[in-house]
Every structure is written in structure tokens, then in C-alpha cells.
Amino acid sequence: MIEESGKRGKAAVEKRQLFMEMRAQNFDVIRLSTYRTACKLRFVQKRCNLHLVDVWNMIEAFRDNGLNTLEHHAEINVSRLETILSSVYYQLNKRLPTTHQINVEQSIGLLLNFMVATYDSESHGKLTVFSMKAMLATMCGGKIVDKLRYIFSQMSDSGGVMVFAKFDQFLREVLKLPTAVFEGPSFGYTEHSLRTCFPQQKKITLNTFLDVLMADPPPQCLVWLPLMHRLANVENVFHPVECSYCRSESMMGFRYRCQQCHGYQLCQSCFWRGHANGPHSNQHQMKEHSSWKSPAKKLSHAISKSLGCVPIGEPPHPVFPEQAERPQEPANVILESPSRLDEEHRLIARYAARLAAEAGNSTQQCPPSDLTFNFDANKQQRQLIAELENKNREILQEIQRLRLEHEQASQPTPEKAQQNPTLLTELRLLRHRKDELERRMSALQESRRELMVQLEGLMRLLKVRDEEQKQASGSSPHSSPSHGAGCSMPMPIRSTSAGSTPTHTPQDCMAGLGGDMLEAFAQGVPRNLRNDLLVAADSITNTMSSLVKELHSVDDGADEEETNMRNGGERGTMRVQKQ
């Protein structure tokens, strides 16, 4: 009992959450009910992330959940409604980049509670299929003309004519949305709602339906619907104009210009709240602007219009064929099995044949009876293009998946290495030989360093002896050449790790010399050990060069063995894949 009461309390809190957040926006200060209703419903749309779901994605979700096979008066329970909303939002997250993912569970909870509060006020726990379709098709994102086309397809008969009883039912369902956001007194359903939309009982086709609902102004009971779409289009529009009331130097959204007061303009916040100052009055006629044009652009547009370069008025929607239009369900647009390649070839063949037929018919005069066929052919061509684009995306994804699998299979693994024990043995021997050569080279480098240190010490010792002989016997012309030859020899460059060279006394210089050298200098007979040391250093250098070459050859052999082993493993993997 305690757990059930806790769940009911949590559900009640979640049910009130969206309405509490909406009231915190303080939309009730907007004096015009049309803007107030549109702003509230736009807030609900964005808060539930419905503005990210296109109407065609919503229709696809209806088909995937089997709603296109149910009658409009059929009822579905709340749990199935939650499943449908889950499929809508999880598919949305698959389309969005990872940096723009939404909180699916929160969106499902907010929208589910709003729909239950709107269409299940008596807490039966069920909603009709038609009410759910009407609500989601109205509140989702997308173009208003696409939404109205889908709604008309749900209300028309096999001849493409609207059934007034179904349209009346649609008004009952869709006008529950303003009532849910506390705007029922202005836009609630009444018995006169149908007559305000279509005053005369006549044949209503798709184009007539679009003309009425997209007119300026639209029917009074649905005037908030096109305004909600205009709000979405101008949310990020910037006007570099100063507001005449709040003195804001820029405007975002709508801009309102007085038709009587010269240069008097208001931002949408001031106009919606009824602010006015100076000679301006709220009774003056205001013109709403949804874009900004510079004076130069206005002048060029006026000149082009006067010269007939631009049309004076553009139709609010494209003209559709008057024949019966099939319901806008994805079953009529998307193939049931798009993954089959033969289906793709048939699509391409059909599309190419229709393009060829269209090109052939363009050179001839089409009779009036073929105009509807051309309209339908253009529509089917657009559908085929969309199908081929979807198929192309699937093929690219499959290619990417196969490429990743091939890269993973090409990487060397322990299992592949175990298939070639002989190569592994040779590789180990080459590695061992390389280590031995590296150790020998290090030892020779150390010997060469010691010889260089001794050579430098001998050079300094010879220099000291020459100076002593000069001081004892005076400067002799015969000693200068040898001294100059000794000084002209370039000194080797040493690293800091070799240590510093002794520079104090001859005894210190002789401390690091070998036995033969000490004996020679102790006797006072300077043998020509310098040349011997140079020859020994050159010999060590040549030996090191040969060792380096041999080491490089071992490295090349080891790399070649690794490459052969890896290529052998890859060829084995490719043979397995081919089999």
C-alpha cells in the first residue's frame, strides 16, 4: 500500500511539472489570447522535444506501431501509448548527433502526462487513435502544409473529398490543446466551430482545405496554429532597430511597426504586453514583421516589383492534384523491404522509365486530361528519390561496417602467430643476434671514448714538454713546426657524459694512461704514440661502422620476417572469408 501510494504521488507530481514550468514563464501577461495560446503551446512543444520530430517521422512511428490498421474510434491504453512515444524518442536520438542527445525518459514522461491530462480527463486510462494522431501531428515539428495534408488524408473519403463529420471530430480533438493550457474560453470547441471554418456546405478538396486553413487570417478557432509555426520561424531573427518603448537597441523575434506614428516600432515583448508611450496608442494599427530588410534592399525590391520582375503575391501553398490522394502513411511512401538489392534495381528502373517518359512527353502538347497524371508522376518521382536516398544511406553504413571488420581481421593476433612456429623461431634468433651486436657496439663506443680521453691528455702533455724545452734551450726554429703541427690537429667533440679532461699538471694528465705510455714518458723519450692512438681510434671507428651495418641488416631481416608473417596471416584470413 505504501509503495502504491508513493507511485501515485510521484505520478501526480510529474503530471503537474509541465504546467508548473509553463506558469513560471508568465505567459499570462500577454494581453492578446492568440499570442498567449501560441506561446504556451510552443513552450509545451519545445519542453517535450516535439519540435525535433518531423511530421514524417511521426507518421512513420504510427505505421511501425500498427496504428494505420486501426479505426479512428479504436482505443489504446496508456501503456501502449507510452510504447509509441518511446519509439518516437529513441528513433529521434538515433538521428541526432551525440552532442545533442535528449533525455528520452524525461521527454516521454512529460508528453505522456500532458496527453493524458488533455484527452483523458475522466481517468479511463485510454485514448482514441484519432485523438492521439491529431495531437501528435499538430504538435510535432515540420511544415504546416505537410501537417495539414496528413490531417486531410485522415478525414477524406476515397474520392478525395473531406468528410464533414470527421473534420468536426478533428476540431473537437485539436481544440482540447488550447483548453489544456487554460485558453478554453477563447479557443475551446463550440457547435459553431465547423461553420466558422466552412460557412457553406460544399465539396471540400485538399486545395480548398489548405486555402481556408492557411489563409490570412485563418479561421478564428484555429488562428493560433499558423501563429505557432511563425513563432518557431522567427525565434532567432534579429532586427537592428531600437524599440520605441523599452529603448532596447535590438529586437529578436517579431517586430511591430505602427501604421500611423512615423518611425514608431515595438519589440514583441512590449507589443504583447500592450506597452505604449508618446502619441502612440494601443488602438493604432500595427504591422507585424518577421524579417529585416535594409533600406537599400527595400528600394531594389520595390523597383523590381514595379518592373514586374517579382510576383506581387505568392500562393500560400503549392497546388495539388484534385484527384483522391492516398493517406499520407509511410506504407505508401516507404518500401516494406528496402534491404533487398533486387528491390533497389526495380526502383531505379521505374524511376529511369518515368524520367524517360517525362522527357518524351515534354516535346509534345499534353491534353488537359493528362495534367493530373503529370502531377501524380512528379509526386511519385519525389517519393522514389527519397527511397533511393534512404537506400544509399543503408549501403554506405554497410560498407563502413565491412571496412571495420576487415581492419579488425587484418590486425596480427597471437592465434595467427602460432600458425607459423618456424617464423617465430627465426625471429627470436634475429632478435638475439641484434641484442648481442648492440652490446658489442656499446663496449666499442666506451673503448673509443677512453682512447680519445688518453689522446687529449697526451696532446696536452706534449704541449707542456715543448714549452719546457723552449724555456730551457731557448726558442728554436726547428721546434716550431712540430708544435704547430700538434696544435693544428682538431680536437674531438665530447659529450658531457664522457667526463672532463684533466688540465692541471703533467702528473695528473699521465694518471689515466696505460703502462707503455707511462714508461715512455717517464724515460723522457716521447715516442710517437699519438699516431698509434689515432690509428687505434680509426680501427675502432671502422669496427663500429661494420657493426652498425650488420645491426641494420639484422633489423631489416627481422622486419621482413614480421611483414611476411603478417602478410601470411592476412592471406589466410582472406582465404577464410572467401570460403
Side-chain angles (χ1 to χ4, degrees), residues 1-16:
M1 293 294 294
I2 297 176
E3 185 178 357
E4 292 180 358
S5 61
K7 290 182 179 180
R8 287 196 297 269
K10 183 180 179 180
V13 171
E14 292 178 349
K15 186 175 182 180
R16 294 192 301 266

Side-chain angles (χ1 to χ4, degrees), residues 12 154 179 186 229 351 358 365 430 433:
Q154 301 297 306
T179 304
S186 300
H229 286 78
Y351 181 55
E358 182 183 8
Q365 183 66 29
L430 289 173
R433 178 62 175 166

